[in-house]
Amino acid sequence: MDVYQTHGIGDLVRGNSYVGRGIVVGLSKNAKKAVFAYFIMGRSENSRNRIFTEKGEEVTIYPFDESKVKDPSLIIYSPVRRVKDSVIVTNGDQTDTVRDALLAGGTFESALETRCFEPDAPNFTPRISAILLLGKGGYTYQMSILKSADAAGSACNRYTFSYAPLAGIGHFIHTYNCDGDPIPTFTGEPERVVIPDDLHAFADDLWSNLDENNKISLYARSIDLATGKWESVLINKNK
Protein backbone atom coordinates (compact mmCIF):
# COMPACT_ATOMS: atom_id res chain seq x y z
CA MET A 1 0.00 0.00 0.00
CA ASP A 2 1.38 3.40 -1.05
CA VAL A 3 0.74 5.77 1.88
CA TYR A 4 1.64 8.71 -0.38
CA GLN A 5 -0.86 7.82 -3.09
CA THR A 6 -3.02 10.79 -4.08
CA HIS A 7 -6.49 10.56 -5.64
CA GLY A 8 -8.76 12.89 -7.53
CA ILE A 9 -11.51 14.06 -5.20
CA GLY A 10 -14.17 12.71 -7.54
CA ASP A 11 -12.61 9.26 -7.44
CA LEU A 12 -12.92 9.14 -3.64
CA VAL A 13 -16.65 9.90 -3.50
CA ARG A 14 -17.89 8.29 -6.72
CA GLY A 15 -20.15 5.31 -6.08
CA ASN A 16 -20.38 5.98 -2.34
CA SER A 17 -24.00 6.87 -1.60
CA TYR A 18 -23.30 8.53 1.73
CA VAL A 19 -20.05 10.03 2.97
CA GLY A 20 -22.05 12.58 4.99
CA ARG A 21 -20.37 15.95 5.41
CA GLY A 22 -16.85 16.54 4.15
CA ILE A 23 -13.96 18.99 4.34
CA VAL A 24 -11.04 19.27 1.91
CA VAL A 25 -8.04 21.56 2.54
CA GLY A 26 -4.81 21.90 0.58
CA LEU A 27 -2.53 23.91 -1.69
CA SER A 28 -3.00 24.55 -5.41
CA LYS A 29 -0.67 22.87 -7.90
CA ASN A 30 1.16 26.13 -8.60
CA ALA A 31 1.63 26.62 -4.82
CA LYS A 32 0.07 30.08 -5.00
CA LYS A 33 -3.32 29.46 -3.39
CA ALA A 34 -4.76 27.92 -0.25
CA VAL A 35 -7.84 25.90 -1.18
CA PHE A 36 -10.69 24.44 0.82
CA ALA A 37 -14.11 22.93 0.22
CA TYR A 38 -17.03 21.91 2.40
CA PHE A 39 -20.09 19.90 1.39
CA ILE A 40 -23.14 18.44 3.04
CA MET A 41 -25.34 15.46 2.22
CA GLY A 42 -28.59 14.29 3.79
CA ARG A 43 -30.90 11.30 3.94
CA SER A 44 -33.89 12.73 5.83
CA GLU A 45 -36.27 15.47 4.72
CA ASN A 46 -35.01 17.63 7.58
CA SER A 47 -31.38 17.24 6.50
CA ARG A 48 -32.10 17.81 2.82
CA ASN A 49 -34.03 21.01 3.48
CA ARG A 50 -30.94 23.26 3.48
CA ILE A 51 -29.02 25.79 1.42
CA PHE A 52 -25.66 27.54 1.78
CA THR A 53 -25.56 31.33 1.79
CA GLU A 54 -22.39 33.42 1.48
CA LYS A 55 -21.93 36.80 3.14
CA GLY A 56 -18.47 38.25 2.74
CA GLU A 57 -15.96 35.62 3.82
CA GLU A 58 -18.45 33.67 5.91
CA VAL A 59 -20.95 30.96 5.01
CA THR A 60 -24.14 30.03 6.85
CA ILE A 61 -26.61 27.20 6.35
CA TYR A 62 -30.30 28.08 6.32
CA PRO A 63 -33.45 26.03 5.74
CA PHE A 64 -34.63 26.09 2.15
CA ASP A 65 -38.27 25.82 3.26
CA GLU A 66 -38.71 27.07 6.83
CA SER A 67 -42.14 25.45 7.14
CA LYS A 68 -40.55 21.98 6.93
CA VAL A 69 -37.95 22.45 9.69
CA LYS A 70 -38.35 19.81 12.42
CA ASP A 71 -35.11 20.09 14.40
CA PRO A 72 -32.83 23.04 13.59
CA SER A 73 -30.19 22.27 16.24
CA LEU A 74 -27.90 20.10 14.09
CA ILE A 75 -28.65 21.41 10.60
CA ILE A 76 -28.41 25.21 10.90
CA TYR A 77 -24.96 26.63 11.63
CA SER A 78 -22.09 28.59 10.06
CA PRO A 79 -19.57 26.18 8.55
CA VAL A 80 -17.09 28.88 7.45
CA ARG A 81 -15.84 31.85 9.48
CA ARG A 82 -12.84 34.16 9.12
CA VAL A 83 -10.93 35.24 12.25
CA LYS A 84 -7.97 37.56 11.57
CA ASP A 85 -5.45 35.44 9.62
CA SER A 86 -7.36 32.19 10.02
CA VAL A 87 -10.27 30.54 8.22
CA ILE A 88 -12.31 28.00 10.18
CA VAL A 89 -14.31 25.26 8.43
CA THR A 90 -16.45 22.77 10.36
CA ASN A 91 -19.55 20.61 10.13
CA GLY A 92 -21.35 22.16 13.12
CA ASP A 93 -21.62 24.95 15.64
CA GLN A 94 -18.08 24.20 16.81
CA THR A 95 -17.14 26.81 14.19
CA ASP A 96 -18.19 29.40 16.74
CA THR A 97 -16.39 27.55 19.55
CA VAL A 98 -13.13 27.78 17.63
CA ARG A 99 -13.75 31.41 16.65
CA ASP A 100 -14.41 32.44 20.26
CA ALA A 101 -11.30 30.60 21.47
CA LEU A 102 -9.06 32.28 18.89
CA LEU A 103 -10.41 35.72 19.78
CA ALA A 104 -9.66 34.95 23.46
CA GLY A 105 -6.09 33.87 22.71
CA GLY A 106 -6.77 30.14 22.60
CA THR A 107 -6.04 27.57 19.90
CA PHE A 108 -7.84 25.28 17.50
CA GLU A 109 -7.00 22.26 19.66
CA SER A 110 -7.93 23.86 22.98
CA ALA A 111 -11.30 24.92 21.61
CA LEU A 112 -12.15 21.42 20.38
CA GLU A 113 -11.14 19.88 23.70
CA THR A 114 -14.39 21.43 25.01
CA ARG A 115 -16.56 19.74 22.37
CA CYS A 116 -17.70 16.21 21.59
CA PHE A 117 -19.38 14.23 18.79
CA GLU A 118 -23.00 15.04 17.97
CA PRO A 119 -25.71 13.64 20.28
CA ASP A 120 -27.57 11.82 17.52
CA ALA A 121 -27.55 8.21 18.77
CA PRO A 122 -27.04 5.61 17.41
CA ASN A 123 -24.90 7.35 14.75
CA PHE A 124 -22.99 9.71 17.07
CA THR A 125 -21.93 11.76 14.06
CA PRO A 126 -18.32 12.94 14.35
CA ARG A 127 -17.54 16.63 14.48
CA ILE A 128 -15.00 17.36 11.74
CA SER A 129 -13.14 20.67 11.65
CA ALA A 130 -10.28 22.41 9.87
CA ILE A 131 -8.37 25.65 10.19
CA LEU A 132 -6.30 27.41 7.54
CA LEU A 133 -3.54 29.47 9.16
CA LEU A 134 -2.58 32.25 6.77
CA GLY A 135 -0.34 34.48 8.89
CA LYS A 136 3.13 35.87 8.24
CA GLY A 137 4.71 32.59 9.29
CA GLY A 138 3.43 30.96 6.11
CA TYR A 139 0.42 28.86 5.24
CA THR A 140 -0.27 25.72 7.27
CA TYR A 141 -3.48 23.88 8.11
CA GLN A 142 -4.92 21.52 10.69
CA MET A 143 -7.82 19.08 10.61
CA SER A 144 -9.70 17.44 13.48
CA ILE A 145 -12.25 14.75 14.15
CA LEU A 146 -14.13 14.19 17.41
CA LYS A 147 -15.68 10.73 17.41
CA SER A 148 -17.32 8.27 19.74
CA ALA A 149 -14.99 5.80 21.43
CA ASP A 150 -17.58 3.01 21.21
CA ALA A 151 -21.03 2.09 19.92
CA ALA A 152 -22.66 3.36 23.12
CA GLY A 153 -21.23 6.89 22.90
CA SER A 154 -19.66 6.50 26.34
CA ALA A 155 -16.55 8.58 25.61
CA CYS A 156 -15.14 10.98 23.02
CA ASN A 157 -11.84 10.47 21.19
CA ARG A 158 -10.18 13.56 19.69
CA TYR A 159 -7.71 13.49 16.81
CA THR A 160 -5.83 16.46 15.32
CA PHE A 161 -3.74 16.37 12.12
CA SER A 162 -1.29 19.18 11.30
CA TYR A 163 0.00 19.70 7.76
CA ALA A 164 2.81 21.52 6.01
CA PRO A 165 1.18 22.15 2.60
CA LEU A 166 2.59 20.51 -0.52
CA ALA A 167 1.89 21.88 -3.99
CA GLY A 168 -1.07 20.14 -5.61
CA ILE A 169 -1.89 18.11 -2.51
CA GLY A 170 -4.80 18.33 -0.07
CA HIS A 171 -6.49 16.24 2.60
CA PHE A 172 -10.09 15.06 2.76
CA ILE A 173 -11.97 14.14 5.92
CA HIS A 174 -15.65 13.17 6.07
CA THR A 175 -18.08 12.11 8.75
CA TYR A 176 -18.91 8.59 7.51
CA ASN A 177 -17.16 5.83 5.61
CA CYS A 178 -20.37 4.91 3.78
CA ASP A 179 -24.10 4.48 4.31
CA GLY A 180 -25.44 2.09 6.93
CA ASP A 181 -27.64 1.71 9.99
CA PRO A 182 -26.10 2.95 12.17
CA ILE A 183 -23.85 4.87 9.79
CA PRO A 184 -20.20 3.80 10.12
CA THR A 185 -17.95 6.61 11.35
CA PHE A 186 -14.96 7.80 9.31
CA THR A 187 -11.81 5.87 10.21
CA GLY A 188 -8.11 6.44 9.61
CA GLU A 189 -6.24 9.57 8.57
CA PRO A 190 -7.61 12.21 6.19
CA GLU A 191 -7.21 11.01 2.60
CA ARG A 192 -4.70 12.59 0.21
CA VAL A 193 -6.31 14.32 -2.77
CA VAL A 194 -5.21 16.26 -5.85
CA ILE A 195 -5.67 20.04 -5.63
CA PRO A 196 -5.56 21.64 -9.11
CA ASP A 197 -5.08 25.31 -9.95
CA ASP A 198 -8.63 25.63 -11.34
CA LEU A 199 -11.07 26.00 -8.42
CA HIS A 200 -14.13 25.56 -10.63
CA ALA A 201 -12.80 22.30 -12.08
CA PHE A 202 -12.07 21.05 -8.57
CA ALA A 203 -15.55 21.96 -7.31
CA ASP A 204 -17.18 20.41 -10.36
CA ASP A 205 -15.24 17.16 -9.94
CA LEU A 206 -16.43 16.92 -6.35
CA TRP A 207 -20.05 17.97 -6.92
CA SER A 208 -20.63 15.88 -10.04
CA ASN A 209 -19.43 12.71 -8.29
CA LEU A 210 -21.34 13.08 -5.01
CA ASP A 211 -24.40 10.84 -4.85
CA GLU A 212 -27.19 12.57 -6.77
CA ASN A 213 -29.94 11.61 -4.32
CA ASN A 214 -28.14 12.65 -1.15
CA LYS A 215 -25.96 15.66 -2.04
CA ILE A 216 -27.29 19.02 -0.87
CA SER A 217 -24.76 21.86 -1.04
CA LEU A 218 -21.09 22.58 -1.76
CA TYR A 219 -18.84 25.55 -1.07
CA ALA A 220 -15.24 25.91 -2.27
CA ARG A 221 -12.75 28.76 -2.02
CA SER A 222 -9.20 29.56 -3.08
CA ILE A 223 -7.14 32.28 -1.41
CA ASP A 224 -4.13 33.91 -3.08
CA LEU A 225 -1.29 33.60 -0.56
CA ALA A 226 0.50 36.70 -1.86
CA THR A 227 -2.42 39.11 -2.13
CA GLY A 228 -5.17 37.64 0.05
CA LYS A 229 -7.65 37.89 -2.80
CA TRP A 230 -10.07 35.00 -3.00
CA GLU A 231 -12.69 33.43 -5.22
CA SER A 232 -15.43 30.98 -4.37
CA VAL A 233 -17.86 28.48 -5.83
CA LEU A 234 -21.24 27.88 -4.18
CA ILE A 235 -23.66 25.19 -5.36
CA ASN A 236 -27.08 24.45 -3.85
CA LYS A 237 -29.21 21.56 -5.07
CA ASN A 238 -32.27 23.38 -3.72
CA LYS A 239 -33.01 26.46 -5.81
Side-chain angles (χ1 to χ4, degrees), residues 114-146:
T114 70
R115 301 303 304 268
C116 195
F117 50 83
E118 295 180 2
D120 60 341
N123 297 315
F124 300 116
T125 298
R127 290 190 186 273
I128 55 172
S129 309
I131 187 167
L132 290 75
L133 303 165
L134 304 166
K136 295 180 180 179
Y139 168 48
T140 60
Y141 61 94
Q142 295 176 290
M143 307 185 90
S144 165
I145 184 167
L146 314 180

Side-chain angles (χ1 to χ4, degrees), residues 41-180:
M41 305 179 77
R43 303 188 303 174
S44 68
E45 182 180 22
N46 192 48
S47 292
R48 291 176 175 177
N49 181 35
R50 293 183 285 179
I51 56 172
F52 285 0
T53 62
E54 182 182 35
K55 185 176 182 180
E57 293 190 65
E58 302 198 341
V59 177
T60 301
I61 299 175
Y62 288 105
F64 176 64
D65 183 345
E66 293 187 6
S67 68
K68 295 182 179 180
V69 176
K70 296 178 181 179
D71 178 8
S73 63
L74 295 177
I75 68 167
I76 300 175
Y77 55 93
S78 295
V80 179
R81 290 201 186 276
R82 178 75 185 244
V83 180
K84 299 180 181 179
D85 291 329
S86 299
V87 179
I88 308 159
V89 188
T90 91
N91 73 326
D93 63 8
Q94 72 267 26
T95 312
D96 294 342
T97 304
V98 175
R99 175 200 60 188
D100 294 346
L102 295 179
L103 291 173
T107 65
F108 180 66
E109 298 101 316
S110 67
L112 293 172
E113 281 290 332
T114 70
R115 301 303 304 268
C116 195
F117 50 83
E118 295 180 2
D120 60 341
N123 297 315
F124 300 116
T125 298
R127 290 190 186 273
I128 55 172
S129 309
I131 187 167
L132 290 75
L133 303 165
L134 304 166
K136 295 180 180 179
Y139 168 48
T140 60
Y141 61 94
Q142 295 176 290
M143 307 185 90
S144 165
I145 184 167
L146 314 180
K147 53 193 288 187
S148 179
D150 57 22
S154 59
C156 181
N157 291 340
R158 298 174 176 85
Y159 304 87
T160 301
F161 306 90
S162 298
Y163 296 102
L166 298 175
I169 303 294
H171 292 88
F172 174 37
I173 193 168
H174 39 103
T175 51
Y176 309 120
N177 281 332
C178 57
D179 206 346

